[in-house]
Amino acid sequence: MAYETILSEKRGEVGLITLNRPDAMNALNSRLLSELLDAVGKMDADARIGAVVITGSQKAFAAGVDIKEMQDYEFADICMNDFVAGWDRFAATRKPVIAAVSGYALGGGCELAMMCDFIIAGESAKFGQPEITLGVMPGMGGTQRLARAIGKAKTMEMCLTGRLMDAAEAESSGLVARVVPDHEVVEEAMRAAEKIAGLSRPAVLMTKETVNRAFETTLAEGLRFERRAFQSMFALEDQKEGMAAFVEKRSPSFKNR
Ligand code: CAA
């Protein structure tokens, strides 16, 4: 598939996807969704890739779903087509995905960043769910993922008024893992992805799956899930190697990478 709306590349063991619709603030149209799913699906299936970074431009990570494309949609059509449901496939990526966000991450752009496992933000980053100002509401997880990330008060305020949040507030609210200078945002995300890609893949995948459980189940069930996942790691050669390397004061060489 030849990509028109994204750039996809491999840097060592990390996949880097750049949203690339500069004339439209990287608005998420249906072409971009299918290209992104194709690219991330291939990276998920590629045994040589251990983690993925997704980024946009200095101006915009993504300014939301493409308003010009969707403005004339009718309820019956988008209901039958299950409009925006394709994004669930992105959210189901098994390998860790890091969002490197500079500029606007609005509406679906903010929701896409929140589908990633964590966000590293540049100082210019601005997050928001302004759909209410268009006469609609978030539809790609904004009401749910934002509430889990930053709590009810700020989520209600942002979703009901469309107020944007800057990078410093996003960090203090728990929406982003770290804020770095804009020119370092992709490099910082790549460094984190390279670190992850050098670790035991089964341990990484199970850790991601288990942390995500925290958002889907009760504490008791989540703790049981975690305990079983932790115990199962003692069946991995990587556990023997990782612990032996610590004891022998050397770097581990994980087999499952
Ligand atoms: N869809 C389509 N086109 C968009 C777009 C979007 N979401 N966001 C920006 N663009 C386009 C603009 O129409 C403009 O195109 P033209 O040059 O052809 O007019 C171009 O990108 C540049 O945008 P601006 O001139 O507006 O740039 P700015 O610097 O003045 O403002 C902005 C930047 C604040 C991000 C502004 O573009 C904006 O508010 N965009 C819309 C944000 C928004 O409402 N997002 C939510 C979309 S709905 C959604 O995402 C639904 C969902 O949850 C499922």
Side-chain angles (χ1 to χ4, degrees):
M1 184 177 196
Y3 300 141
E4 288 172 9
T5 64
I6 63 168
L7 306 171
S8 174
E9 59 188 287
K10 215 169 101 175
R11 291 194 191 170
E13 292 182 297
V14 175
L16 174 62
I17 297 174
T18 306
L19 307 180
N20 188 33
R21 295 190 69 210
D23 296 338
M25 295 269 170
N26 290 332
L28 309 170
N29 64 6
S30 46
R31 170 103 202 175
L32 187 147
L33 170 59
S34 58
E35 291 182 4
L36 186 58
L37 289 178
D38 186 76
V40 85
K42 284 180 177 146
M43 289 173 181
D44 219 14
D46 185 341
R48 291 160 302 179
I49 288 184
V52 176
V53 170
I54 175 162
T55 193
S57 68
Q58 284 284 94
K59 267 191 179 165
F61 177 72
V65 174
D66 192 315
I67 299 165
K68 292 167 189 167
E69 187 182 66
M70 73 178 155
Q71 64 175 338
D72 294 324
Y73 287 173
E74 295 293 339
F75 171 72
D77 299 324
I78 63 168
C79 180
M80 285 187 291
N81 297 339
D82 211 2
F83 180 53
V84 300
W87 290 97
D88 293 347
R89 284 172 50 205
F90 176 84
T93 306
R94 292 189 71 213
K95 287 180 183 161
V97 183
I98 304 170
V101 175
S102 297
Y104 294 107
L106 305 183
C110 184
E111 292 166 307
L112 171 58
M114 291 191 291
M115 285 177 207
C116 299
D117 297 305
F118 59 93
I119 301 170
I120 294 184
E123 283 161 348
S124 69
K126 284 195 167 34
F127 298 88
Q129 299 291 160
E131 291 91 338
I132 196 76
T133 65
L134 300 170
V136 291
M137 60 178 281
M140 278 166 53
T143 61
Q144 305 302 299
R145 289 197 178 94
L146 194 61
R148 281 165 169 78
I150 66 172
K152 177 180 167 183
K154 280 179 185 283
T155 300
M156 279 290 190
E157 189 199 9
M158 289 174 72
C159 291
L160 290 176
T161 70
R163 180 175 80 81
L164 307 190
M165 184 180 256
D166 66 18
E169 186 182 1
E171 186 180 28
S172 63
S173 305
L175 179 59
V176 310
R178 239 159 357 107
V179 179
V180 299
D182 277 329
H183 65 278
E184 286 174 20
V185 71
V186 174
E187 297 322 312
E188 277 298 311
M190 289 297 294
R191 261 195 285 278
E194 279 156 15
K195 168 81 188 177
I196 293 167
L199 302 172
S200 163
R201 298 268 158 85
V204 164
L205 294 182
M206 278 200 267
T207 301
K208 168 170 173 166
E209 197 181 336
T210 307
V211 173
N212 280 331
R213 277 284 157 137
F215 300 99
E216 290 161 6
T217 190
T218 61
L219 178 61
E221 281 305 319
L223 290 173
R224 260 192 289 277
F225 188 90
E226 181 196 76
R227 193 169 311 145
R228 284 287 172 266
F230 170 71
Q231 290 167 347
S232 73
M233 286 180 183
F234 287 75
L236 291 171
E237 283 177 51
D238 288 345
Q239 173 267 327
K240 303 287 177 290
E241 168 60 11
M243 294 192 179
F246 174 82
V247 172
E248 292 159 20
K249 301 188 189 302
R250 59 174 173 82
S251 298
S253 174
F254 293 117
K255 182 166 175 266
N256 294 297
R257 287 187 45 212

